[in-house]
Amino acid sequence: MEHIIPSQINNYLERYGILCDPQHGFCQKQSCETQLVSTLADFVNTVKEKGQCDVILLDFSKAFDKVSHCLLFQTIHQFGIDGHVHSWISSFSSNRTPEGVDDISSQKSNVTSGVPQGSVLGPLLFLLYINDLPAYTKHSTIRLFADDCMLYRNIDSDEDRLKLQEDLDGLLKWEEDWKMQFHPEKCIQLSITLKRKPVDTSYYMRKHQLEKCSSAKYLGVTISSNLSWSNHIETITSRAFGKLAFL
């Protein structure tokens, strides 16, 4: 039953184009590869035009656990998922009472938020819950792969920096509206450019200045500020040699 319902919902979402375009996680005809190709194509074009692209990689704090059941059920109803299916999803997601881990029991506790992890339906419910996140940005490009979120914009002046910061503040407004939470200490900033004198920029989340990095890992690929693949290749070959040595 848990496989049948997500399958039918996916067909419904595909038919009416409900899921936002930036989302490639757990979506039909989309994958990790399609997200990487689209994103890196934007970066390559910026470098070819001798520009600068500021990238912010955002980290959700316990994303799947913080989904509000009340807001989730309102959301899926607004998307036209109602009647018996809505009741079944509500019953499936609510009134769960965990009482143990690894055969060690504790007192039962009520769960009022979160989607069931390890389930077939859980990721789909999460996608619907965060579906309007891109609507909170106006000036920048946003990429989503489940709970992996990236925000970026070409920077030619301080005005561009302010627009990217404005969109970052918009995501904080979304966070407040939907009772989610980003982890500012784990969010990082990456400037992709070959300029000798790039525009010096800094970005903030709740008065916390984001860490500036020369490279960052996104969907398993290490992206460097100069778009060199040396760091990524070194990581992959080092891991391979480690496994070879173990064998």
Side-chain angles (χ1 to χ4, degrees), residues 60-109:
F60 280 100
S61 177
K62 299 180 180 178
F64 285 77
D65 293 331
K66 288 186 176 293
V67 173
S68 164
H69 286 170
C70 179
L71 292 175
L72 173 63
F73 301 148
Q74 289 178 16
T75 300
I76 62 175
H77 178 73
Q78 290 171 357
F79 286 136
I81 302 172
D82 50 20
H84 292 304
V85 176
H86 187 283
S87 299
W88 189 91
I89 292 175
S90 175
S91 176
F92 178 82
S93 305
S94 305
N95 300 319
R96 289 175 174 261
T97 53
E99 59 174 336
V101 177
D102 296 333
D103 298 326
I104 300 174
S105 298
S106 63
Q107 290 184 347
K108 290 185 178 181
S109 57

Side-chain angles (χ1 to χ4, degrees), residues 10-185:
N10 265 319
N11 292 336
Y12 169 74
L13 298 177
E14 177 77 12
R15 187 184 313 127
Y16 293 102
I18 292 175
L19 290 180
C20 61
D21 291 336
Q23 179 65 261
H24 284 217
F26 306 110
C27 295
Q28 294 183 3
K29 302 178 183 179
Q30 304 288 8
S31 66
C32 180
E33 287 79 6
T34 59
Q35 186 70 290
L36 284 168
V37 167
S38 301
T39 305
L40 289 169
D42 289 343
F43 297 162
V44 169
N45 288 334
T46 298
V47 170
K48 281 184 176 180
E49 295 171 1
K50 299 180 180 179
Q52 173 181 336
C53 183
D54 280 2
V55 182
I56 298 173
L57 288 95
L58 296 144
D59 183 85
F60 280 100
S61 177
K62 299 180 180 178
F64 285 77
D65 293 331
K66 288 186 176 293
V67 173
S68 164
H69 286 170
C70 179
L71 292 175
L72 173 63
F73 301 148
Q74 289 178 16
T75 300
I76 62 175
H77 178 73
Q78 290 171 357
F79 286 136
I81 302 172
D82 50 20
H84 292 304
V85 176
H86 187 283
S87 299
W88 189 91
I89 292 175
S90 175
S91 176
F92 178 82
S93 305
S94 305
N95 300 319
R96 289 175 174 261
T97 53
E99 59 174 336
V101 177
D102 296 333
D103 298 326
I104 300 174
S105 298
S106 63
Q107 290 184 347
K108 290 185 178 181
S109 57
N110 293 322
V111 178
T112 58
S113 65
V115 294
Q117 297 189 44
S119 66
V120 178
L121 186 61
L124 182 58
L125 295 177
F126 181 77
L127 295 191
L128 291 171
Y129 190 78
I130 69 169
N131 193 56
D132 74 335
L133 187 148
Y136 284 70
T137 62
K138 299 178 181 178
H139 313 290
S140 311
T141 301
I142 190 167
R143 300 283 184 184
L144 292 167
F145 193 89
D147 61 337
D148 282 312
C149 182
M150 174 189 283
L151 185 71
Y152 60 88
R153 177 182 171 83
N154 287 347
I155 305 296
D156 296 317
S157 64
D158 193 56
E159 182 181 352
D160 292 320
R161 180 193 65 80
L162 292 175
K163 287 183 177 179
L164 183 54
Q165 180 64 57
E166 182 182 332
D167 283 339
L168 186 57
D169 294 339
L171 295 185
L172 294 178
K173 177 65 169 60
W174 174 87
E175 166 197 72
E176 181 181 346
D177 290 346
W178 289 91
K179 299 181 180 180
M180 297 292 281
Q181 186 176 359
F182 291 109
H183 202 307
E185 289 77 14

Side-chain angles (χ1 to χ4, degrees), residues 191-204:
S191 293
I192 295 178
T193 184
L194 294 180
K195 286 183 177 180
R196 292 184 178 180
K197 293 183 179 180
V199 180
D200 186 25
T201 56
S202 296
Y203 301 96
Y204 298 83

